[in-house]
Amino acid sequence: MATIYQVSELAGVSLSTVSRVLNDNDYVSKKTKKKVLEAMQQLGYQPSSIARSLASSRTSSVGVLVSELDGPFFGQMMSAIEQQLRAAGKHVIITAGHSDEDKEKNGFEFLISRNCDAIIAHVEIVSDEYLIELSKGKIPIYLMSRYVEEIKDNCISLDNVLGGYLATKTMINKGHKNIAYIAGPQFKVDASDRLVGHKKALAEYNIAFDESLFYIGDFKETGGNDGLKHFIENKAQFSAIVCANDEMASGAMKFAREHGFNLPKDLAIMGYDNVIFTNYLYPTLTTIDNPVPEMGRMAANLVLKDIYKHSGITINRVFQPTLVLRDSTPDIN
């Protein structure tokens, strides 16, 4: 059986050059690549994933640590990352942190133990200091939907303050002044940033933030259900409700219909994320587009550029949310 060393000798190139050819590195000239491929063919050499790893000190695998494995948000994220890396001949190893500090740390430790070439992480509980220290290790860490100044070049993030602002400003421009708000868990940076944006829009239009129109949900359908139930039971006065994600918005819509609301006539509802089901709810849900698939592909591209030295890749590290207007937020007559 031919070996990589024999390919190197026959082609008259170094082992590192053979490695670059095996890993489809852009920095190998066409002439050199042709010599190596011809030597491989002449020797009948069939490179295995193990050989590629030995040749390059790479495993061609990227770890992906996400908060959850279920739900449309994380499904889109994982799918986009995997597809982009698979197209480049790389594989992903996925684990979940479940928004728990110990589980997030265990997830990192597991992926590091698997000798991944890099780790793409969507984590919510571990501190910035932990992530900064972890980034000093041998395996590069890239963050999804999170910004840490000290490692900003390895972050792909969304301006959630702007997103929260756009959501509430839209309701105000539709004629609403009594706007209920169902926030996500405030230990999550994206949820707290969206609340900052909500308050910013209220202040811009001289509308006081009303604690009686504020509820902290769980980013799941139950949060929207329980939030709307809370407002009704406390006899809060509101004509619109802004939810910090689409799952809570769908829960609020379901509860509203079950309790006699004519949607959207009696209650305007806004979501956030623009996950796939928003266009199939009734009424279709106005929401803030969180470009998760694009961000996932960008995180994968950042790994391909930094770790695997792919050329011709342009990186966008900060994404801007946009408004998606649908039927759930009509103008007040």
Side-chain angles (χ1 to χ4, degrees):
M1 182 181 293
T3 68
I4 187 173
Y5 302 99
Q6 291 171 313
V7 173
S8 171
E9 290 177 357
L10 182 59
V13 299
S14 66
L15 282 172
S16 61
T17 297
V18 178
S19 163
R20 286 192 286 270
V21 173
L22 288 174
N23 289 282
D24 198 26
N25 191 294
D26 292 340
Y27 290 105
V28 181
S29 69
K30 290 182 180 179
K31 181 180 178 181
T32 300
K33 185 175 183 179
K34 183 173 183 290
K35 285 168 59 178
V36 173
L37 293 175
E38 287 176 347
M40 289 169 57
Q41 184 176 19
Q42 185 175 333
L43 292 168
Y45 176 75
Q46 295 294 324
S48 65
S49 59
I50 295 175
R52 287 190 173 94
S53 176
L54 290 172
S56 64
S57 299
R58 299 290 187 195
T59 62
S60 290
S61 62
V62 176
V64 178
L65 173 57
V66 294
S67 297
E68 302 292 344
L69 296 174
D70 61 348
F73 180 89
F74 291 107
Q76 289 183 87
M77 179 187 296
M78 290 184 287
S79 178
I81 292 171
E82 194 276 338
Q83 288 177 16
Q84 196 74 357
L85 291 172
R86 178 64 70 90
K90 315 302 175 187
H91 292 266
V92 300
I93 301 173
I94 298 173
T95 189
H98 300 294
S99 297
D100 177 272
E101 183 176 8
D102 288 338
K103 290 177 182 177
E104 288 185 349
K105 289 181 177 179
N106 288 340
F108 276 119
E109 291 169 5
F110 166 73
L111 294 173
I112 290 170
S113 74
R114 303 302 296 178
N115 294 317
C116 296
D117 297 331
I119 296 173
I120 298 172
H122 182 287
V123 287
E124 301 171 315
I125 307 301
V126 291
S127 66
D128 288 358
E129 291 73 21
Y130 173 83
L131 293 168
I132 293 166
E133 189 63 30
L134 196 65
S135 70
K136 298 175 183 177
K138 65 176 184 177
I139 297 179
I141 307 297
Y142 296 86
L143 300 181
M144 272 283 299
S145 298
R146 184 163 175 177
Y147 180 85
V148 178
E149 176 66 27
E150 289 82 354
I151 52 174
K152 61 183 179 181
D153 288 343
N154 286 23
C155 298
I156 302 295
S157 62
L158 180 74
D159 187 345
N160 279 296
V161 173
L162 174 60
Y165 170 81
L166 288 175
T168 298
K169 180 180 179 180
T170 298
M171 286 299 202
I172 296 170
N173 288 338
K174 292 284 184 181
H176 300 279
K177 292 185 178 179
N178 297 318
I179 302 170
Y181 189 82
I182 301 179
Q186 291 301 287
F187 64 83
K188 299 188 177 188
V189 177
D190 53 356
S192 61
D193 281 351
R194 292 170 194 182
L195 177 58
V196 169
H198 167 69
K199 291 180 177 179
K200 180 181 176 181
L202 292 178
E204 184 176 296
Y205 287 85
N206 296 314
I207 300 173
F209 177 75
D210 186 346
E211 288 286 350
S212 71
L213 295 177
F214 176 64
Y215 182 86
I216 298 178
D218 56 6
F219 267 162
K220 300 181 185 297
E221 287 185 31
T222 50
N225 179 97
D226 295 346
L228 183 53
K229 180 181 178 182
H230 168 81
F231 295 138
I232 293 172
E233 288 180 346
N234 286 276
K235 297 181 171 54
Q237 298 299 310
F238 57 97
S239 60
I241 186 166
V242 174
C243 298
N245 79 341
D246 292 332
E247 289 190 56
M248 293 196 299
S250 70
M253 291 173 74
K254 182 175 183 293
F255 186 88
R257 279 194 300 272
E258 290 173 348
H259 290 79
F261 284 82
N262 180 356
L263 300 180
K265 182 180 178 181
D266 296 339
L267 180 64
I269 298 181
M270 168 79 69
Y272 196 115
D273 283 335
N274 195 29
V275 297
I276 191 168
F277 65 71
T278 53
N279 203 33
Y280 300 98
L281 294 172
Y282 182 78
T284 55
L285 182 64
T286 294
T287 185
I288 301 299
D289 184 53
N290 182 350
V292 173
E294 291 84 352
M295 292 172 67
R297 285 189 285 271
M298 191 59 66
N301 280 340
L302 188 52
V303 170
L304 292 174
K305 182 176 184 290
D306 284 358
I307 306 305
Y308 300 111
K309 306 306 178 185
H310 287 213
S311 61
I313 296 176
T314 300
I315 300 298
N316 175 25
R317 290 178 173 81
V318 181
F319 283 74
Q320 301 298 310
T322 55
L323 174 68
V324 181
L325 275 174
R326 297 197 181 101
D327 296 336
S328 68
T329 54
D331 293 332
I332 294 179
N333 295 328

